[in-house]
Amino acid sequence: MSASFASALSAARDAAAAQHYPQGALYVVATPIGNLADITLRALHVLQLADAVACEDTRHTQALLRAYGIDKASAQCMAVHQHNEAEAAQAVVQRLQRGERVAYVSDAGTPGVSDPGARLVAAVQAAGLRALPLPGASSVTAALSVAGALAAGPAAHQPLAGGFLFAGFLPTRSAERHAAVQALAAEHRCTVLLEAPHRITELAAALEPLGDRPVTLAREITKQFEEIATLPARTLADWLQAEGTSRTRGEFVVVVHPAPAPEGDASPATTAGLRALRLLLAELPVKTAVRLAAEISGAPRNTLYDAALAMKKENGREDDAG
């Protein structure tokens, strides 16, 4: 353990110890996705406090805990992974019923989303026990935050659908993967995929039919050789091969940007809202105009707000958006 993490343990006690941590509860703890410094103070405190730590790989987790200066006996570490999760969950439930605090961590990131943990949480809740989240590192939200894929469309009458779709790993069989990519081609939301290094070249080839659709590749997020690039889908394979084999190493998050909405695709409510918005903006501040247009038409307020900003930019108006 480095001196910096010794300080972190002390800071964790100072910052988090005053909070109540009930006994007989499962603590679902996010861990770093590559950079040890991305652990939260509350996670450090709970990992110290826990009577047992359930995890995907006990050897990996023991090494992680030792890096932070947290010592757990072998009997305090429980293997709960995709191959034994249903059975191992019952052993966790028994510990919780005895009043123990159990922390669950995956090998990296937030458990229960793409990694194991969902069955464990379901079993705990079915037994009438509590599962408490300790948020932290997530490769999905980290990649989204720098992809710029959730921005509104350039034209006020073509706002992109809000939110994003998390699709995880696409099917490995070629026919199923082809069908999944065809579905992506028509998806107007941003889509987030995960991929392993030995299959990233195949995924790039599968996405090539998306043509000029922007795709963000985030490789080795938070690690020493992190690379993030946004480029047309048709060029993904060339980008991966440009540096020999180095760019095909490491875990990938792949953000497929939204498909642009076709002309005339707006709902009747949105069309009416945009029409009212243009009239209201001539006399009212943006927020007031958006609120009234949404009330009149029933169109989504976020869509109208993005459209209002685009309209002001088109008209060259620089007055306050408030």
Side-chain angles (χ1 to χ4, degrees):
M1 178 183 66
S2 69
S4 59
F5 286 129
S7 300
L9 287 182
S10 176
R13 286 189 293 270
D14 293 341
Q19 182 177 336
H20 176 57
Y21 299 91
Q23 295 178 305
L26 176 71
Y27 294 85
V28 181
V29 183
T31 55
I33 56 177
N35 190 318
L36 287 177
D38 288 338
I39 192 76
T40 70
L41 294 178
R42 202 153 64 101
L44 287 175
H45 181 71
V46 166
L47 289 171
Q48 293 178 86
L49 186 66
D51 300 294
V53 177
C55 53
E56 280 189 84
D57 185 326
T58 57
R59 294 169 298 179
H60 175 91
T61 298
Q62 282 280 27
L64 180 71
L65 294 175
R66 284 195 295 270
Y68 296 125
I70 300 173
D71 293 319
K72 297 290 182 185
S74 296
Q76 290 179 287
C77 289
M78 309 170 61
V80 181
H81 46 72
Q82 63 179 0
H83 302 296
N84 76 343
E85 190 172 357
E87 300 81 7
Q90 297 309 310
V92 173
V93 167
Q94 291 172 7
R95 282 181 175 264
L96 298 180
Q97 290 172 333
R98 295 198 297 264
E100 295 185 17
R101 299 181 183 93
V102 178
Y104 181 70
V105 300
S106 61
D107 284 348
T110 302
V113 180
S114 180
D115 293 328
R119 289 181 179 177
L120 172 60
V121 170
V124 168
Q125 293 174 339
L129 300 164
R130 297 181 66 181
L132 306 175
L134 270 70
S138 164
S139 63
V140 172
T141 52
L144 278 172
S145 71
V146 293
L150 297 179
H157 61 283
Q158 289 186 343
L160 297 178
F164 67 93
L165 171 68
F166 175 63
F169 292 90
L170 290 186
T172 55
R173 294 181 178 177
S174 59
E176 295 175 357
R177 175 169 288 204
H178 177 69
V181 172
Q182 283 187 314
L184 284 181
E187 178 58 62
H188 294 310
R189 290 173 294 174
C190 171
T191 303
V192 182
L193 309 173
L194 303 178
E195 194 53 275
H198 63 282
R199 288 197 301 265
I200 188 61
T201 301
E202 295 175 14
L203 178 61
L207 294 177
E208 187 173 347
L210 297 182
D212 289 330
R213 182 97 162 258
V215 175
T216 298
L217 292 179
R219 184 179 77 86
E220 293 286 83
I221 297 179
T222 78
K223 299 178 183 178
Q224 181 179 0
F225 298 107
E226 172 185 271
E227 271 191 288
I228 299 170
T230 298
L231 54 159
R234 58 181 170 76
T235 68
L236 295 178
D238 292 338
W239 185 85
L240 288 169
Q241 296 167 8
E243 301 291 334
T245 60
S246 63
R247 281 183 173 165
T248 59
R249 299 171 185 168
E251 301 296 324
F252 284 82
V253 180
V254 180
V255 180
V256 181
H257 292 229
E263 291 284 350
D265 196 45
S267 68
T270 300
T271 300
L274 294 171
R275 188 181 302 117
L277 184 62
R278 286 191 179 276
L279 297 173
L280 292 168
L281 279 176
E283 304 295 336
L284 298 171
V286 166
K287 289 183 179 179
T288 304
V290 166
R291 177 175 58 80
L292 292 174
E295 291 175 359
I296 292 169
S297 65
R301 188 171 295 192
N302 287 345
T303 296
L304 294 178
Y305 185 80
D306 291 336
L309 296 182
M311 290 177 188
K312 286 168 61 69
K313 185 175 181 180
E314 287 175 4
N315 295 334
R317 293 170 60 187
E318 300 295 338
D319 51 316
D320 179 33

